[in-house]
Amino acid sequence: MEQLAPREALVEAVRRLDPRYHNERAMALHGNFMAEVERAPGLLEQLREHGVRPRCEELLMTLVSLQRRGAVREDVDLDMIVTLCFGSYFADYLRTGNAVADDFAERVVGAVWPALAVDGGNRPV
C-alpha cells in the first residue's frame, strides 16, 4: 500500500479489516465463537489468533507506515484506532443487519482521519 496516497492506503486497510472481506458469513461465525466462550474458551483464542489478529496487524502496520511517511501524527494511539475501526464493522452489522455498504471503509476513515492525520489531513502528503 506504499504506492497509495496516505488516506487511500488507510481506506484500503480498513476495507480489508472487515471480517466479511473473505467470508460473508464471518459476522455470524464471530458471534458463535463468542457465545461459546464459557464452554470452549479455546475457540475464542483461535478466532483471535487466526481471524482477528492478522487483520488488525495489517491495519496497524499501515498506520505505522503512514507515521513513517509523515502523514499520521506521532502521538496517535494506533491501537485505539485499530480497535475503533475493527469495532465499526460489528457496530454497523448489529445496528443494521445489512451487508457492508460499498463506501463503509471510506466513511470510517472520513471520521477518524482528521483526528490522526498531520495537520488534520489538510496538508498534501
Side-chain angles (χ1 to χ4, degrees):
M1 286 191 244
E2 293 287 325
Q3 69 277 13
L4 297 175
R7 194 173 188 283
E8 286 73 33
L10 186 58
V11 169
E12 183 56 28
V14 170
R15 182 175 293 112
R16 293 179 188 197
L17 188 64
D18 180 1
R20 295 162 292 187
Y21 186 76
H22 293 291
N23 180 350
E24 66 186 36
R25 296 183 53 238
M27 285 298 191
L29 292 171
H30 278 74
N32 291 341
F33 279 61
M34 287 186 278
E36 294 297 323
V37 72
E38 289 182 20
R39 287 188 288 200
L43 286 176
L44 190 55
E45 185 50 40
Q46 286 181 16
L47 175 63
R48 282 188 190 113
E49 183 64 30
H50 301 289
V52 175
R53 203 166 282 136
R55 282 192 162 75
C56 291
E57 187 70 17
E58 182 178 356
L59 177 56
L60 180 61
M61 291 299 97
T62 299
L63 289 164
V64 167
S65 173
L66 291 175
Q67 276 185 330
R68 290 182 184 140
R69 289 169 61 183
V72 170
R73 296 188 351 253
E74 291 293 326
D75 64 333
V76 172
D77 183 345
L78 299 182
D79 286 324
M80 183 52 65
I81 296 298
V82 171
T83 297
L84 290 169
C85 292
F86 188 61
S88 68
Y89 284 99
F90 289 90
D92 182 67
Y93 179 78
L94 291 170
R95 284 182 62 234
T96 70
N98 297 331
V100 67
D102 290 339
D103 67 342
F104 189 78
E106 177 67 41
R107 291 173 51 216
V108 169
V109 171
V112 299
W113 185 248
L116 58 95
V118 171
D119 297 330
N122 297 320
R123 177 181 74 114
V125 179

